[in-house]
Amino acid sequence: FFANRNFVLTTSVGLAVGIFMFGSMSYLPTYLQMVHAMSPTTAGLMMTPMMLGVMGTSTIVGGIVSRTGKYKRYPIIGMIATAAALALLSTLEPDTSLVVIGLYLFLLGFGVGNAMQILVLIVQNSFPIAVVGTATAANNFFRQIGGAIGSALVGGIFVANLRDQLATRMPAAIQELGADAANYKDMLASGTSRLPPAAVTHLPEPLRLAIDYAYNDALTPVFLMLVPLALVSAVILIFVREDNLKDTIS
C-alpha cells in the first residue's frame, strides 16, 4: 500500500481531515455553551450546518464525479475551503451572531465534504478489487488517528490557553465586584473548569464577561494554527495522479 503514491498522499491528507473535523467538533459545542449560554442540546444542534455541508457536498460532488470521471480538483478545493473556514473561525468574538457562526461551520463542512469521500474513492480506484477493502480500511484507520490527534492537540492547546487567559482576566474581574468579591473568591479558587455552563450565566457581569472572553480567546487561536496544515494538504493533493475511474471488476 505504501508503495502506491496516491495511497500515501490521500492517507496523509485524510489524517489531516480527521484533525480538522474532530478537533473542531470536540470543543465548539462547549464553546457555544460557555460563551453563548446555550444548553447542551442547542449547542449540539448548532453543529448541524457543518454536517449539512459535509453530507450535502459529499452527495453532490459524488454525483458529479460519477458523471464526469474527474475527481482530483475537489479535494484541493475542499482543503482551500477548509483553510478559509478555519481562518474565519479564528476571528470569532463573544458577540458574533449565531448566523455568522453557522455560516462559518457550513463552509468548514463544505470543505471537508469535498475531500473526505473523494479521498476514499481515490484509494479504492488505485488498487485491484481483491485488496480494495483492506486499502479502504487502512485509509479510514489513519483518518481516525487524525481524529484522536486532533482532539488531543486542540484540547491540550485550548486548556493551556484557557488557564493563561483566566489567570489574566479573573483578578481584574473580581476587583470590579468590590464588596461582593468575597462571595465568589472561594468558588473560583476551586477552578473555573468545574463551573457548569448554566452556572456561568448567573454570575455577575464582570465574572461572566471575563470567562466568556477567556474561553473565546483560548479556542480561536487554535483554529488559526490549523490553517497552514489545510494549505499544505491542498499542495500535497496537487501531486495525486488522476486515473480513469474503473468501470470493470478485475
Side-chain angles (χ1 to χ4, degrees), residues 7 10-11 14 119-120 123 134-144:
F7 179 84
T10 55
T11 299
L119 294 177
V120 176
V123 169
T134 307
T136 303
N139 181 267
N140 290 337
F141 171 70
F142 281 98
R143 188 167 67 231
Q144 294 299 321

Side-chain angles (χ1 to χ4, degrees), residues 51-97:
M51 299 315 300
L52 287 176
V54 172
M55 294 187 296
T57 305
S58 297
T59 302
I60 294 171
V61 170
I64 295 173
V65 170
S66 296
R67 292 195 303 270
T68 64
K70 303 295 183 182
Y71 53 81
K72 180 177 177 178
R73 71 192 73 168
Y74 298 106
I76 298 173
I77 293 171
M79 288 298 97
I80 294 173
T82 298
L86 291 169
L88 290 171
L89 287 170
S90 72
T91 66
L92 293 180
E93 296 289 344
D95 58 353
T96 302
S97 74

Side-chain angles (χ1 to χ4, degrees), residues 157-231:
I157 298 174
F158 169 61
V159 170
N161 289 347
L162 181 60
R163 185 183 301 113
D164 294 340
Q165 288 289 333
L166 289 172
T168 301
R169 295 178 182 275
M170 292 307 293
I174 292 175
Q175 285 184 353
E176 288 187 41
L177 295 177
D180 293 334
N183 298 329
Y184 297 95
K185 280 185 177 180
D186 292 340
M187 178 186 67
L188 296 173
S190 65
T192 54
S193 61
R194 299 181 183 180
L195 283 175
V200 174
T201 61
H202 299 295
L203 292 175
E205 185 175 359
L207 293 179
R208 180 174 53 79
L209 290 177
I211 294 174
D212 286 352
Y213 277 92
Y215 264 75
N216 183 86
D217 294 347
L219 183 61
T220 52
V222 183
F223 294 128
L224 190 60
M225 293 175 60
L226 294 175
V227 171
L229 181 60
L231 295 176

Side-chain angles (χ1 to χ4, degrees), residues 91-140:
T91 66
L92 293 180
E93 296 289 344
D95 58 353
T96 302
S97 74
L98 297 180
V99 174
V100 172
I101 295 175
L103 290 174
Y104 292 170
L105 291 176
F106 179 82
L107 180 60
L108 180 61
F110 171 83
V112 172
N114 262 290
M116 188 165 61
Q117 295 305 320
I118 300 300
L119 294 177
V120 176
L121 171 67
I122 294 172
V123 169
Q124 293 173 338
N125 197 55
S126 300
F127 294 98
I129 190 67
V131 295
V132 161
T134 307
T136 303
N139 181 267
N140 290 337

Side-chain angles (χ1 to χ4, degrees), residues 223-245:
F223 294 128
L224 190 60
M225 293 175 60
L226 294 175
V227 171
L229 181 60
L231 295 176
V232 169
S233 297
V235 173
I236 289 174
L237 289 170
I238 294 175
F239 298 97
V240 168
R241 183 180 64 250
E242 187 172 46
D243 300 324
N244 293 329
L245 288 178

